[in-house]
Amino acid sequence: MTGSGPGATPAALVIRDATADDMAAVCALYNALVATTTVAWTEEPEPLHVREAWFAEQQRDGHPVLVADVDREVVGFASYGSFRGEGKWPGYRLTVEHTIHVGEGHWGGGIGRALMDMLVSRARANGLHVMVGAVDGANDASLRFHERLGFTEVARMPEVGIKFGRWLDLVLVQRVL
Ligand SMILES: CC(C)(COP(=O)(O)OP(=O)(O)OC[C@H]1O[C@@H](n2cnc3c(N)ncnc32)[C@H](O)[C@@H]1OP(=O)(O)O)[C@@H](O)C(=O)NCCC(=O)NCCS
């Protein structure tokens, strides 16, 4: 079942906490853009066991992992984790860095916003103060998306990454919760 037109949020959309069984779908969503884009700064697809280990760590650390479920298919996910290393710098403990991916076939349908709204409300409920996104400077969709979600660009770091033989710029966006 879908919404009433192009770009409409699917009527059957449910944002829920992920389970270990969702990790294959989460891994596939993440890997879908690795080979062809600079959204994620690696050339290597992520093996499923790495994603499963990440999920176990997120659970241990009490960090949410949310999935967007449409008719029992996982079509997006969002999460956050520590900013600049778990426990290394206690002064950053009320700041987190988030990640979000929506399957390409569902872009523009409000799923990203629904995931982020829930993630922000979880972050607030957990007493957090700031959310940071680290975005590839060429990822216009993500930059526009974060702007619409109330994030402000706070840093642009030229040529700190490399992929496909090209330098990559990092843009940091943040929202005070
Ligand atoms: C960025 C991403 C998460 C957006 O998800 P989405 O479900 O398409 O976004 P939504 O439909 O919920 O859009 C939310 C808002 O962002 C805006 N937006 C989303 N994509 C946009 C684009 N390509 N250009 C301009 N604005 C855009 C929408 O217009 C909407 O604004 P509004 O609600 O004020 O009308 C999705 O494109 C994605 O997963 N991309 C690949 C992975 C990625 O880049 N992740 C982020 C890494 S930092």
Side-chain angles (χ1 to χ4, degrees), residues 33 39 100-102 107-110 112-113 139 141-142 144-145 148:
L33 300 176
V39 166
I100 176 158
H101 284 259
V102 173
W107 289 348
R113 180 181 278 281
N139 189 350
S142 180
R144 298 290 80 78
F145 171 78
R148 298 299 297 161

Side-chain angles (χ1 to χ4, degrees), residues 84-162:
R84 305 205 67 210
E86 194 72 52
K88 187 169 180 222
W89 303 106
Y92 290 120
R93 68 188 175 279
L94 299 183
T95 296
V96 285
E97 182 175 335
H98 69 279
T99 183
I100 176 158
H101 284 259
V102 173
E104 190 168 353
H106 296 269
W107 289 348
I111 291 174
R113 180 181 278 281
L115 280 164
M116 285 303 295
D117 284 351
M118 176 80 88
L119 197 65
V120 164
S121 74
R122 291 293 180 86
R124 287 193 173 124
N126 286 325
L128 295 168
H129 183 55
V130 170
M131 247 186 189
V132 175
V135 185
D136 171 37
N139 189 350
D140 282 327
S142 180
L143 291 171
R144 298 290 80 78
F145 171 78
H146 282 96
E147 199 177 284
R148 298 299 297 161
L149 273 282
F151 285 78
T152 305
E153 180 176 324
V154 289
R156 191 169 275 261
M157 304 172 72
E159 302 187 5
V160 293
I162 188 166

Side-chain angles (χ1 to χ4, degrees), residues 8-135:
T9 306
L13 174 66
V14 175
I15 308 295
R16 60 169 174 81
D17 286 296
T19 68
D21 287 345
D22 295 318
M23 289 309 111
V26 165
C27 193
L29 285 165
Y30 171 83
N31 280 335
L33 300 176
V34 166
T36 52
T37 75
T38 53
V39 166
W41 291 6
T42 174
E43 268 97 356
E44 298 302 321
E46 177 185 71
L48 179 55
H49 71 86
V50 170
R51 182 57 65 175
E52 288 171 338
W54 168 82
F55 181 64
E57 276 169 33
Q58 290 293 96
Q59 295 222 292
R60 182 198 65 202
D61 296 338
H63 297 318
V65 178
L66 303 176
V67 291
D69 180 319
V70 176
D71 286 333
R72 284 170 294 286
E73 184 194 353
V74 170
V75 299
F77 74 95
S79 184
Y80 63 66
S82 65
F83 179 64
R84 305 205 67 210
E86 194 72 52
K88 187 169 180 222
W89 303 106
Y92 290 120
R93 68 188 175 279
L94 299 183
T95 296
V96 285
E97 182 175 335
H98 69 279
T99 183
I100 176 158
H101 284 259
V102 173
E104 190 168 353
H106 296 269
W107 289 348
I111 291 174
R113 180 181 278 281
L115 280 164
M116 285 303 295
D117 284 351
M118 176 80 88
L119 197 65
V120 164
S121 74
R122 291 293 180 86
R124 287 193 173 124
N126 286 325
L128 295 168
H129 183 55
V130 170
M131 247 186 189
V132 175
V135 185

